[in-house]
Every structure is written in C-alpha cells, then in structure tokens.
Amino acid sequence: MSRFWSDHVNSLQPYVPGEQLAIKNLIKLNTNEHPYGPSPKAIAAINQAANDSLRLYPSYDAKGLRQSIARLHHLDMGNVFVGNGSDEVLAHIFSGLFLRGGRPLLLPDISYSFYRTYCRYYQVPFEIVPLADDFSIRVEDYTKPRDVAPAAIIFANPNAPTSLALGLGDIERIVKANPDTVVVVDEAYVDFGGQSASGLIKQYPNVVVVQTLSKAYALAGLRVGFALASTEIVAGLERIKDSFNSYPLDSLALAGAQAAIDDQAYFNDVRKAVMDARDELTKDLQALGFTVLPSAANFVFATHPEHDAAHLQQELKRRGILVRHFSQDRIQQFLRITVGTLVQCKRLTQELTSIL
C-alpha cells in the first residue's frame, strides 16, 4: 500500500496466474499452454516481419488479420475485433458492454476467475449463478423471467476449470431468451471439442464470441485475441480501444497471428494430437482411481476419492511437475491438469502412481 496510489488500488484483488518456475526439466501442466510449437509458417512470418520496418507503427486496423479471421468464421471483417490477448478483449467488453444502468452481469460461480477481477476493476454489478451439482451450466437459470433484464451474461465454453462444454442448441436458447442482453461466450478452448457460437452472430445481434490464439494455435507468447460480434458491437469496442490504446497488436504479432490462422492444416494436426493425448490421459487417470470430468478442452479436471488434491499438487511440484489447484470450496478437491505431450503425460501418471 502506498500513499501515492489512486483510491481504488488498495481494494483490487488481482487475478493470480499459474506458477512460472525456473526449474530444470520442469513439466509445466498448470497453465493450459499447447505442448507443441506454433505453425512453422507463423514463425517464418514473424522472422520476415522482424526488419527495419519496425520503426513504423503497426497496422491501425489490423486489416489482414481481421480478414483471415472473418474468412475462417464466414463473417465480414466488420464483425471482427482484435486485441492484445483475449484478456484485453474481455476488458474492453466489460467496460464497453456491461455498464448499463446498474443492471447485473450474470456469470457462473465456477468459471474463469478473471471475470470477477474485471467486475471489481470496472465496478460492474454482478450476480453469481451456481452451476449444477455435476458442474454443468443450467440453461434454465439464464432463461427464466426476471424483473430486471441483466445487462449481460458471460460464460466460458468449454468452461474453465471444469472442461465441460455447453451444446450450441443450449447456447441459442439462452441468446433467444435474452434479446436485450449481451451474451458473451468465451471460447478459449473451443477448438479442442466444443461448438463455436460464431454461427449465431448473423442471426442474433446480442451474441459476442471471444477467442484466443494462445491455446489451440500455440501462440500464448504472442498475445493475440479477438471477438466476433455484430458490426454495432464491434464499433463500440473500437471506440473503447481507441480511447485506451490505438495499436494493441505489434507488427510481429499481426504477421504471426495471420499466418497461424491461415495454416489450418497444421492447426488441425496438432489439435488432434492434443485431443488424442487427452483421451489417453483420461483413461490412465481413471485407472488410478481418479474421477475425470468429460473434457472438451486441452486440460482435464480430476479428483481422487482417497487423496487430498492440494497434497497431490504439492507432491507433483516437488517432483518437477506443475498442475493447477484451486482453493474454491466446490472444487478444492480437484486438479486441473493441462494435456502435455504423450511423454509428459506418461511421466505424470508414473509419478502419481508412486505418490498414491
């Protein structure tokens, strides 16, 4: 605490990212990073862009990247908003779409913890909606009549950290039941087994889809995210961006991201490899007595009936393997385990066998 801080700084509760340890031969399965590298074409594009043109500002409108994203999702460039990682995109959404006359934002009790951080930061009123006992989203909780329509609804799909996915039909039911409410579907992990809601955008002007290149495109270090929405919503987000930072993506990020988006052959090969490894990891954990939720993401959410999750996490850390443990009441006996390479997953299960 400092006497020089603005009034609100001391009351903030920042988001806590996964551990980043400098340990030799560390197996890092705690931050949902891709176990394989990005497209070689993305690396080549970044190298090509690393020249004396870096003295110039990057593209103001990110036209090339937005065109590639729009083409992939069968939308127009005006439906695409890009930012410095999906967290920045979400920040602009919270600021630009959720402060509507004191109406609340609805969000699940177990989901991406940055949502609550942004609610506090932007002073967005919010209402927590509990997940069902099986950790699924209950559609009826978001479609029932309310005295005051919510300003917005947000949920991750597949959800994090549970890894469960909501079907496209259920998402459409929520959207249709809330025509005066923005429905934000955060699809950071959708490419590993979920159904994107991007196909609803042309029909429903209240849908916003958020995606990232950090997960399935293996570009977490490049910081590129985007939103897909109606042109009127994108125009509002652009006003927020240009009041904050007109150049959120540098020239190297623009080049690498566009090349990665355009290389769908590589993208599909490596995401299939992750999904295959996830299925094998699930079977191996179940053989050790773990209950594993059905995952549509690049991680699994697992609990063991006879062993404390925090203890398992610390024992694995002592052996050079990082996994994520959350202290939240309903999930404190679960571990979130990123799907690594087949070799990394086998090492994990070997160490778990020893610990158990």
Side-chain angles (χ1 to χ4, degrees), residues 11 23 62 82 84 110 124 145 210 225 237 312 330:
S11 63
I23 298 176
V82 298
N84 189 254
I110 299 171
V124 173
V210 178
L237 295 177
L312 293 177
R330 293 183 66 188

Side-chain angles (χ1 to χ4, degrees), residues 105-109 127-146 148 150 152-153 155 166 170 173-174 177-178 330:
L105 165 69
L106 305 185
L107 67 154
D109 64 333
E127 178 182 328
I128 298 298
V129 182
L131 297 177
D133 290 342
D134 63 357
F135 299 115
S136 63
I137 289 175
R138 288 183 293 230
V139 175
E140 57 270 22
D141 288 341
Y142 297 90
T143 58
K144 63 185 180 183
R146 294 173 178 268
V148 177
I153 296 167
F155 53 87
L166 193 64
D170 286 333
R173 285 172 56 198
I174 294 173
N178 295 277
R330 293 183 66 188

